Amino acid sequence: MKLKFDGREKLMKPLQEAFREQKIAYFSMEIGLVNEIPTYSGGLGVLAGDTIKSSADLKLPLVAVTLLSKRGYFRQEITEEGKQMEHLVEWEPSKIMELLSTETKVKIQKREVSIKAWLYNVQSLTGGVVPILFLDTDVEGNLPEDKEITSFLYGGDERYRLKQEIVLGIGGARMLEALGLSIRKYHMNEGHSSLLTLELLKKYRMDIDRVRELCIFTTHTPVEAGHDKFSYDLVQEIMGEIVPLEALKKFGGHAERLNMTRLALNLSEFVNGVAKRHKDVSRALFPGYEIHSITNGIHSYTWTSQSFRELYDKYMPGWANEPELLVRVGGIPDEEIWHAHMEAKRVLIDYVNKMTNIGMDYDTLTLGFARRATGYKRTNLLFSDLEKLKKINKKGKMQIIFAGKAHPKDELGKRLIQEIFGYIRKLRDAIKIVYLEDYDMGLAARLIPGVDVWLNTPLRPLEASGTSGMKAAHNGVINFSVLDGWWVEGCVEGVTGWAIGPHPDEQLSTDEAKIRELDDLYNKLEYIIIPTFYQKRDEWIRMMEDSIGKIAYYFNSHRMMRRYVTEAYL
Ligand SMILES: *Cc1c(COP(=O)(O)O)cnc(C)c1O
């Protein structure tokens, strides 16, 4: 995908054209589009970016709304002891986006706060374009503290977060209105933007049915504690009364706090989880609501490495805009699959050896694990039994690559990184293991395609979907994962990859499940994965092909967007 931002005309034209048709407005607190725009922290943002890219490819009438996050998330440095250091990311929106002259306002703490918007067009080679509005409160006349509202992604305290959500939801809806765009649906990607429902209630004079018809809500969080909640006192103080408090409580929950997920659930006609398993979990969490599922996907072209792009171009031309074609992977000779993989592996191993002095090689079985460093992702599970790991490594050598940032306030996540550094030291003489700094989209695009096995060991049921395994599959990298999120649908044991632990239908306690998980983790490594990799290369390549032909052809954001269109947007 070519992203163009040369000149005002190219930027403005799509927006002008947008006036002619009714748009789907897609709201997301974070959007991960390209490495140069650091307005994302992880999977949620990358999913939003992939949603937008596929929409542009498919020429869907979408306009996206997000916050500018002028100071980005953060750049991660890790000391030799494994301590995470956080640095500001400097980027200059004016170099890649166009400032629009239209402004709007929201009321925060009884003050009028002005909001401006930067326009960035995602341009597809198909000719489709999706404009993104990056909202920015750094407007002259705003108080210094108000200017900072759109500075830090997931920064500050809950007051700061509420202000951000007012700007995103209410400010975003008003900005669309001020630009004269006509909106046919409002799609909330997670509950951060659900205050927009209040703006719509106000606009349509409390016509609840009308508002519900307009709203679509995608939930991403499978635990109660993960949903944003604000005390009604705080809401009254910061936001005032957009709608009468009694009405707000009716939709946002009668307990003392406004639950952003409930607000969206109550005022959206279509609600979905991001995998079938996640739908079941969400229904249990919120009984009484009709919750559908549209399983996530990734933007195939973005996440396919150069060598596989060339291979697919040769054997399945048109695959990037029609990823279903990947089902025909069987027509590619095995040697060429292996060759493309070794090319991606070389790129990664060269990078690892350049960034560290570990001295990894191209032929050793390489495991990868990279994602946000946070408790439920259990980055440390593989190290539960170090002696066992050493013993397994004697059956066939392994090397392991880790990466991932911890949220600056997630002390557990930071300790997890330190813990991994400890294991790396302890195993130094036996197994080569590195933890790469500053995991972002650029590193993900290099890391995931370059390993042989992609490992994922989340604590069930906390992985709502997960998407990095889909990126792996697009590159013939075989998944070895806990049966949670998308993998419950993607895993055919021994065909598309391997499962770690029990199927969700088995009702086990967390402790019982963990025993099974560790058994699978170590036994499958020792008795299946290592022997297959080193002694049955044909079988290995068949599984690589099945990852492409049975996973990638389906778990892509083109299929996902077609589902949103037919099930939610139309
Ligand atoms: C794809 C991606 C994620 C999501 O990974 P999961 O393993 O699904 O959590 C997070 N961060 C980055 C930078 C990514 O590219």
Side-chain angles (χ1 to χ4, degrees), residues 21-33:
E21 59 184 330
Q22 286 207 312
K23 289 268 174 188
I24 311 293
Y26 180 79
F27 281 71
S28 186
M29 182 80 132
E30 48 171 314
I31 295 182
L33 210 56

Side-chain angles (χ1 to χ4, degrees), residues 156-332:
D157 54 11
E158 65 166 351
R159 303 171 74 85
Y160 184 75
R161 172 72 76 93
L162 179 56
K163 291 177 188 177
Q164 289 194 319
E165 298 192 5
I166 292 169
V167 170
L168 177 66
I170 297 171
R174 289 184 185 166
M175 181 58 79
L176 293 169
E177 177 95 28
L179 286 167
L181 293 170
S182 120
I183 303 300
R184 72 151 81 187
K185 295 279 180 188
Y186 294 80
H187 184 173
M188 293 168 268
N189 186 43
E190 191 53 305
H192 307 122
S193 54
S194 61
L195 293 176
L196 76 81
T197 57
L198 305 181
E199 177 66 9
L200 295 179
L201 278 174
K202 190 174 142 211
K203 180 174 169 184
Y204 295 106
R205 297 163 200 272
M206 305 303 285
D207 182 345
I208 295 156
D209 293 338
R210 178 91 179 88
V211 172
R212 280 175 51 87
E213 247 170 51
L214 284 168
C215 291
I216 293 157
F217 173 48
T218 301
T219 173
H220 291 261
T221 316
V223 268
E224 180 57 27
H227 300 271
D228 271 356
K229 294 185 206 83
F230 302 103
S231 80
Y232 284 108
D233 287 344
L234 186 71
V235 172
Q236 292 254 292
E237 183 206 326
I238 306 273
M239 192 174 72
E241 280 197 11
I242 300 243
V243 300
L245 182 63
E246 265 323 295
L248 183 58
K249 285 189 171 173
K250 180 173 161 206
F251 301 119
H254 276 290
E256 76 265 31
R257 293 195 296 166
L258 166 63
N259 181 323
M260 297 295 276
T261 300
R262 272 196 193 277
L263 183 61
L265 280 170
N266 284 323
L267 289 165
S268 299
E269 191 175 64
F270 184 89
V271 176
N272 73 290
V274 288
K276 291 190 198 306
R277 168 79 183 135
H278 180 230
K279 173 198 71 184
D280 298 337
V281 172
S282 301
R283 280 185 181 174
L285 210 54
F286 298 103
Y289 293 95
E290 193 182 345
I291 301 177
H292 304 264
S293 71
I294 295 180
T295 302
N296 280 344
I298 57 150
H299 188 249
S300 298
Y301 185 80
T302 298
W303 296 108
T304 299
S305 67
Q306 191 53 36
S307 54
F308 272 97
R309 284 179 186 171
E310 286 166 15
L311 195 59
Y312 297 161
D313 280 343
K314 181 172 162 192
Y315 287 94
M316 301 168 286
W319 66 277
N321 205 33
E322 207 181 331
E324 305 92 300
L325 287 173
L326 295 173
V327 79
R328 296 189 51 77
V329 65
I332 307 177

Side-chain angles (χ1 to χ4, degrees), residues 98-160:
E98 176 86 4
L99 183 61
L100 300 178
S101 54
T102 306
E103 287 184 7
T104 190
K105 284 184 169 55
V106 290
K107 216 175 225 159
I108 291 177
Q109 286 170 318
K110 302 201 170 73
R111 300 189 290 276
E112 295 284 356
V113 175
S114 299
I115 304 170
K116 59 185 181 181
W118 298 82
L119 172 65
Y120 179 91
N121 287 320
V122 175
Q123 189 116 30
S124 165
L125 291 177
T126 64
V129 184
V130 171
I132 306 177
L133 302 169
F134 288 83
L135 304 176
D136 184 2
T137 56
D138 186 1
V139 178
E140 229 182 89
N142 282 348
L143 289 185
E145 65 168 291
D146 294 336
K147 288 183 175 177
E148 291 291 317
I149 293 173
T150 53
S151 289
F152 300 98
L153 177 62
Y154 304 132
D157 54 11
E158 65 166 351
R159 303 171 74 85
Y160 184 75

Side-chain angles (χ1 to χ4, degrees), residues 71-79 82-90 152-156 373 404-415 417-418 437-439:
R71 303 270 167 252
Y73 191 46
F74 68 94
R75 184 172 63 77
Q76 179 200 50
E77 189 190 322
I78 310 177
T79 67
K83 199 166 158 344
Q84 170 174 292
M85 318 278 277
E86 295 125 22
H87 303 287
L88 286 180
V89 220
E90 287 299 335
F152 300 98
L153 177 62
Y154 304 132
K405 295 175 185 175
H407 185 280
K409 289 208 177 123
D410 183 355
E411 292 306 326
L412 183 69
K414 290 189 198 182
R415 260 187 280 133
I417 298 176
Q418 275 181 304
E437 287 175 324
D438 205 29
Y439 185 56

Side-chain angles (χ1 to χ4, degrees), residues 338-357:
W338 187 250
H339 185 260
H341 172 61
M342 286 307 286
E343 200 50 48
K345 195 170 177 183
R346 245 187 294 279
V347 170
L348 172 63
I349 300 296
D350 289 350
Y351 176 80
V352 168
N353 290 340
K354 193 180 93 190
M355 302 306 285
T356 67
N357 56 8

